[in-house]
């Protein structure tokens, strides 16, 4: 081969290597090995078969071969990086898709569980409404019997003593209140509504406390508990649901009597403070306990009485009293410490 044709030979050889590296998909190290092998074979070939020295060969076109060979090594390297990045991205996408599918399966399973629980709750709600309707109708019949019997006694009123007449009046009024509350309970729309509806009227709160006080005197006397009357004798008018307000006072005082020990005094106090009617029950006997009161006022709780009788009951009365007080815009507070038990209800008065 003449020295003049070396440039053409090297350019052709470099073009072949470049074309090859453009076609293959391998790592850059393979291209480097390929170039090194080509250079090695080229050096051996020229040393054995050519009369020209290697330096002369390199200076007459060999530099083009080395430059193109170096560039051909970079092409597979760049392509390999791009392909590797694409493959890793695809793997991540497939893993993400699998995770999403797994999460979707979990969500579907949880949705199925929620649907089953919702169906169970719906059936329980239907059973509750059915039970309320049945129990309500039965209670209506019982209250009707009480009212009818009480009316028959009223017809013989001339034979009754003053105390008996007072008790007959108390039974009549209590039956009317029970009938009113039962009608509220029977109204399924009101049960399902977010807000309780009240029959608001203007009345004397002190008179209502006095009525509740008189009705529980005998109950307290049976436990040898003395109720102290510190109820204001002047009227303090409030505009609320009279039946539910009376029920709040009834629940608080009856529970105070129930959980108080025998031979004890319970003060019932009413007052006017900062344009608010204040109803207080002060029991200076053995404390029920603040934690126990918290549970009684906030959820269903069975408590043992602190007296020797060890009687128990559901703490529904106090939680209902708290709920009704809040629904009517009032506040109910309580405490139990070394000084005894204290209950306080506040409602705004009407001038």
């Amino acid at each position: 081969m003449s020295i003049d044709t070396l440039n053409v030979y090297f350019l052709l050889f470099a073009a072949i290597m470049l074309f090859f590296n453009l076609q293959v998909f391998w790592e850059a190290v393979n291209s480097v090995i390929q170039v090194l092998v080509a250079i090695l074979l080229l050096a051996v070939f020229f040393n054995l078969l050519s009369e020209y020295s290697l330096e002369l060969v390199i200076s007459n076109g060999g530099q083009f071969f080395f430059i193109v060979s170096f560039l051909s090594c970079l092409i597979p390297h760049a392509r390999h990086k791009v392909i590797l990045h694409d493959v890793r991205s695809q793997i991540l996408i497939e893993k993400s898709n699998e995770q999403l599918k797994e999460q979707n399966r979990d969500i579907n399973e949880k949705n199925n569980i929620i649907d089953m629980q919702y169906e169970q709750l719906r059936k329980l709600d239907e059973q509750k409404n059915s039970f309320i309707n049945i129990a309500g109708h039965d209670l209506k019949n019982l209250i009707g019997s009480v009212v009818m019997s009480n009316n028959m006694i009223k017809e013989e009123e001339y034979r009754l003593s003053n105390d008996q007449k007072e008790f007959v009046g108390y039974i009549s009024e209590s039956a009317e209140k029970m009938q009113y509350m039962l009608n509220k309970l029977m109204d399924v729309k009101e049960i399902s509504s977010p807000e309780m509806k009240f029959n608001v009227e203007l009345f004397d709160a002190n008179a209502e406390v006095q009525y509740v006080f008189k009705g529980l005197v005998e109950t307290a006397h049976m436990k040898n508990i003395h109720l102290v009357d510190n109820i204001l004798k002047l009227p303090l008018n409030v505009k609320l649901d009279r039946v539910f307000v009376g029920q709040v006072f009834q629940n608080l005082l009856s529970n105070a009597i129930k959980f108080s020990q025998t031979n004890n005094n319970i003060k019932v106090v009413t007052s006017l403070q900062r344009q608010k009617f204040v109803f207080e029950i002060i029991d200076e006997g053995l404390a029920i306990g603040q934690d126990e009161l918290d549970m009684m006022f906030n959820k269903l709780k069975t408590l043992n009485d602190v007296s020797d009788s060890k009687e128990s009951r559901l703490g529904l009365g106090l939680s209902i009293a708290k709920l009704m007080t809040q629904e009517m815009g009032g506040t109910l507070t309580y405490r139990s410490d070394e000084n005894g038990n204290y209950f306080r209800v506040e409602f705004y008065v009407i001038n």
Side-chain angles (χ1 to χ4, degrees):
M1 180 182 295
S2 65
I3 195 71
D4 296 331
T5 60
L6 284 178
N7 286 329
V8 178
Y9 171 77
F10 281 120
L11 287 175
L12 181 61
F13 192 23
I16 293 172
M17 291 190 63
L18 180 62
F19 177 77
F20 180 79
N21 283 322
L22 287 173
Q23 300 302 315
V24 296
F25 295 89
W26 58 19
E27 297 185 19
V29 65
N30 296 327
S31 296
V32 173
I33 294 173
Q34 177 199 27
V35 171
L36 293 176
V37 171
I39 294 173
L40 179 62
L41 292 175
L42 186 66
V44 171
F45 173 77
F46 272 97
N47 284 328
L48 295 177
L49 303 178
S50 176
E51 67 275 12
Y52 307 115
S53 65
L54 187 59
E55 290 81 3
L56 183 63
V57 171
I58 291 174
S59 62
N60 286 275
Q63 67 271 22
F64 297 111
F65 170 76
F66 291 117
I67 293 173
V68 174
S69 298
F70 175 75
L71 292 176
S72 67
C73 292
L74 298 178
I75 293 173
H77 176 70
R79 181 184 294 172
H80 181 265
K81 278 191 172 183
V82 172
I83 294 175
L84 184 62
H85 179 267
D86 291 341
V87 171
R88 287 176 177 174
S89 299
Q90 188 66 29
I91 293 173
L92 289 176
I93 291 173
E94 291 179 357
K95 287 183 177 179
S96 299
N97 289 336
E98 289 297 324
Q99 291 176 354
L100 289 174
K101 289 179 181 178
E102 185 68 25
Q103 291 175 356
N104 189 49
R105 284 193 294 268
D106 292 340
I107 291 172
N108 289 333
E109 291 177 359
K110 291 178 180 178
N111 285 336
N112 292 333
I113 294 173
I114 292 172
D115 290 339
M116 292 175 59
Q117 292 176 344
Y118 172 78
E119 185 64 22
Q120 292 175 352
L121 289 175
R122 188 186 63 80
K123 291 180 179 179
L124 288 174
D125 187 63
E126 290 179 354
Q127 294 175 359
K128 177 210 60 173
N129 291 334
S130 177
F131 172 78
I132 290 175
N133 288 330
I134 295 172
H137 286 297
D138 290 342
L139 288 173
K140 277 186 175 181
N141 293 333
L142 293 174
I143 295 174
S145 300
V146 171
V147 172
M148 184 174 63
S149 301
N150 196 56
N151 290 335
M152 292 175 63
I153 296 175
K154 282 184 177 180
E155 292 177 359
E156 304 291 332
E157 189 174 2
Y158 63 92
R159 296 183 179 181
L160 302 178
S161 65
N162 290 333
D163 289 340
Q164 289 172 335
K165 291 178 182 179
E166 185 178 353
F167 284 126
V168 168
Y170 183 79
I171 292 172
S172 178
E173 190 170 348
S174 297
E176 290 177 2
K177 290 183 176 180
M178 284 191 293
Q179 187 68 45
Y180 172 78
M181 297 187 70
L182 185 58
N183 289 335
K184 285 283 186 181
L185 183 65
M186 292 291 292
D187 192 344
V188 178
K189 292 183 179 179
E190 287 192 8
I191 294 173
S192 302
S193 64
E195 295 181 356
M196 191 179 297
K197 297 179 181 178
F198 297 102
N199 183 23
V200 178
E201 59 180 304
L202 190 66
F203 65 94
D204 178 14
N206 280 325
E208 190 64 28
V209 174
Q210 191 68 51
Y211 175 81
V212 172
F213 182 90
K214 289 182 179 180
L216 291 173
V217 167
E218 285 297 323
T219 303
H221 181 70
M222 291 173 62
K223 289 188 64 175
N224 200 22
I225 294 174
H226 177 58
L227 295 182
V228 180
D229 182 355
N230 287 337
I231 303 171
L232 285 179
K233 300 306 182 279
L234 55 92
L236 290 178
N237 293 327
V238 295
K239 195 172 184 180
L240 301 166
D241 191 307
R242 182 171 187 168
V243 175
F244 280 99
V245 169
Q247 194 64 40
V248 170
F249 299 153
Q250 175 90 17
N251 288 1
L252 290 175
L253 187 54
S254 62
N255 275 278
I257 294 170
K258 176 149 187 86
F259 293 107
S260 181
Q261 70 273 24
T262 57
N263 301 318
N264 188 36
N265 293 333
I266 297 178
K267 295 179 183 178
V268 179
V269 183
T270 63
S271 58
L272 177 63
Q273 300 178 22
R274 298 185 299 277
Q275 286 301 106
K276 286 184 179 181
F277 166 78
V278 178
F279 169 76
E280 298 171 289
I281 297 175
I282 304 171
D283 178 5
E284 297 178 352
L286 187 63
I288 297 175
Q290 188 66 33
D291 292 338
E292 299 291 344
L293 277 183
D294 288 337
M295 288 186 284
M296 290 177 69
F297 271 100
N298 291 286
K299 65 180 181 179
L300 294 176
K301 172 67 180 176
T302 302
L303 279 182
N304 288 327
D305 193 1
V306 296
S307 64
D308 294 334
S309 61
K310 297 297 182 183
E311 54 187 335
S312 64
R313 62 167 290 163
L314 278 173
L316 281 173
L318 297 179
S319 59
I320 291 173
K322 181 181 179 182
L323 173 63
M324 289 191 292
T325 301
Q326 293 173 344
E327 289 288 336
M328 290 185 289
T331 58
L332 191 156
T333 56
Y334 56 90
R335 70 171 183 267
S336 181
D337 50 31
E338 65 276 3
N339 296 321
N341 307 302
Y342 175 77
F343 306 91
R344 179 187 179 102
V345 175
E346 296 181 5
F347 290 112
Y348 281 102
V349 299
I350 304 298
N351 292 330

